[in-house]
Amino acid sequence: MGIGLLGFQTTIANSVTLSGTGVHSGAEVAITFHPAEADSGIVFQRVVGEQTVSEFRAVSSQVGNTDLCTILGFSPATSIATIEHVMAAIYALGLDNLLIEVHGAEMPIMDGSSAPFIDAIEQTGIKALAVKRRYIRILKPVRIESGASWSEFTPYDGMRFEVEIDFDSPLIGRQAWKGDITPSVFKTELSRARTFGFMRDVERMWAAGRGLGSSLENSVVISDDNTVINIEGLRYKDEFVRHKTLDAVGDLALAGAPFIGCYRSYRGGHKMNANALKALMSDPTAYEIVETATQRQRVAKREVLAVNAP
């Protein structure tokens, strides 16, 4: 069952800081994960000097632009960008409550994957809190379409992702990844997959003020002759679809609680993920909120109780 229907909410044991370059701004940024009380959720604070200029709970209603990344907020002066890799790590490890202090306008891109965030969280440790965890259980299919692309939620007794991509590039082509998300599955099969892009798009992105921090240290770059420029090559044979799945995990973490169901997408992306989640949350007949009904740390799949949605 996905992350095992843990009986209690969690947070981290101690604060931990990471720093690096913002992939779009090119600026140096730093983030600090702080422990948080039960029912706090995942909260991002943008800090300038000693002053907090904005605060966002990581939920779908706070999502602004999704063109090249997922952004919380609607104004560049206060928004927080590129949260998907961080959120994927948080979601996959089963963290419910966290305060993320951000000195900058976006997350550090690190190596372009979720692995550095997984490592930092595991090193500081995770602790259980004395409040039961809630889940979002999918009750019926919810589907959206946009041209040839589509995404859908369907009922499933677990936390499953089925992601398929189809690029007009002989190097990528059509790839698919399917699996139930657990901490070990995410860590071994998805967490190290890096963001990627094409050389032909670089000048256009730079002209738009995006991708200024992108490099071979944090991105898989595909040349005009459809080869990987990075000397070390790919980390997985199908790293492209694995990264798209990683992104989907991070985007759907903005449901505000882990979901019990299957998420499927074809030729999706941040915008499709965000719109599918909004479609789900806008239909109260499509899901229910459940919580564990036992004091044990791990419970059987059947041991959940329906509760009123917050």
Side-chain angles (χ1 to χ4, degrees):
M1 158 64 75
I3 54 177
L5 271 184
L6 293 174
F8 297 96
Q9 294 181 31
T10 62
T11 189
I12 57 174
N14 299 287
S15 297
V16 60
T17 298
L18 300 94
S19 60
T21 303
V23 69
H24 290 299
S25 66
E28 289 300 305
V29 295
I31 61 173
T32 300
F33 297 151
H34 295 291
E37 299 296 323
D39 290 330
S40 298
I42 309 300
V43 177
F44 287 80
Q45 286 184 344
R46 182 169 171 178
V47 178
V48 177
E50 300 297 323
Q51 181 180 1
T52 299
V53 298
S54 61
E55 180 174 294
F56 303 99
R57 187 161 181 170
V59 293
S60 60
S61 62
Q62 299 300 305
V63 174
N65 194 302
T66 53
D67 287 342
L68 295 174
C69 63
T70 298
I71 299 176
L72 293 176
F74 304 90
S75 167
T78 57
S79 63
I80 300 173
T82 326
I83 66 167
E84 57 272 11
H85 301 170
V86 171
M87 289 302 300
I90 290 169
Y91 190 75
L93 292 179
L95 278 172
D96 303 285
N97 306 287
L98 207 59
L99 173 63
I100 304 175
E101 182 181 315
V102 185
H103 291 264
E106 62 180 321
M107 299 294 99
I109 191 61
M110 309 306 286
D111 70 345
S113 76
S114 285
F117 306 114
I118 291 282
D119 293 342
I121 292 168
E122 288 188 334
Q123 287 175 18
T124 193
I126 298 174
K127 69 176 183 179
L129 303 171
V131 175
K132 295 176 184 178
R133 169 177 285 163
R134 299 179 183 88
Y135 293 80
I136 297 170
R137 179 158 55 195
I138 310 301
L139 300 178
K140 69 177 187 180
V142 173
R143 181 183 176 99
I144 65 168
E145 298 181 3
S146 177
S149 303
W150 56 265
S151 295
E152 67 178 2
F153 289 93
T154 57
Y156 178 77
D157 194 12
M159 185 190 302
R160 185 171 180 82
F161 283 76
E162 298 183 359
V163 175
E164 186 172 1
I165 61 175
D166 192 356
F167 279 79
D168 185 18
S169 162
L171 178 65
I172 302 176
R174 195 161 183 169
Q175 299 180 1
W177 187 91
K178 302 177 181 179
D180 287 18
I181 298 297
T182 67
S184 61
V185 167
F186 183 84
K187 185 175 180 179
T188 58
E189 297 193 27
L190 299 175
S191 72
R192 297 180 64 250
R194 296 161 294 175
T195 190
F196 62 92
F198 295 85
M199 276 296 296
R200 63 175 181 259
D201 297 328
V202 169
E203 290 188 2
R204 175 180 57 82
M205 289 182 63
W206 286 350
R210 310 299 293 272
L212 301 179
S214 181
S215 72
L216 295 178
E217 300 297 320
N218 56 45
S219 305
V220 176
V221 180
I222 302 165
S223 69
D224 293 339
D225 61 356
N226 284 293
T227 59
V228 173
I229 293 176
N230 307 64
I231 294 175
E232 71 276 22
L234 298 175
R235 293 178 175 178
Y236 308 91
K237 182 179 179 181
D238 55 351
E239 185 168 359
F240 307 104
V241 72
R242 290 175 190 257
H243 185 78
K244 285 290 189 178
T245 306
L246 182 158
D247 279 346
V249 172
D251 290 339
L252 296 193
L254 296 166
F259 71 89
I260 302 170
C262 177
Y263 179 69
R264 303 172 64 223
S265 73
Y266 173 69
R267 295 181 63 178
H270 297 303
K271 184 171 293 187
M272 181 70 70
N273 297 334
N275 289 338
L277 184 55
K278 289 177 181 178
L280 173 69
M281 304 310 291
S282 66
D283 184 355
T285 68
Y287 67 93
E288 66 179 345
I289 307 298
V290 299
E291 68 177 22
T292 51
T294 178
Q295 294 302 309
R296 289 176 292 164
Q297 284 287 348
R298 292 185 179 272
V299 297
K301 295 177 182 179
R302 65 183 180 276
E303 292 180 305
V304 294
L305 290 179
V307 298
N308 292 328

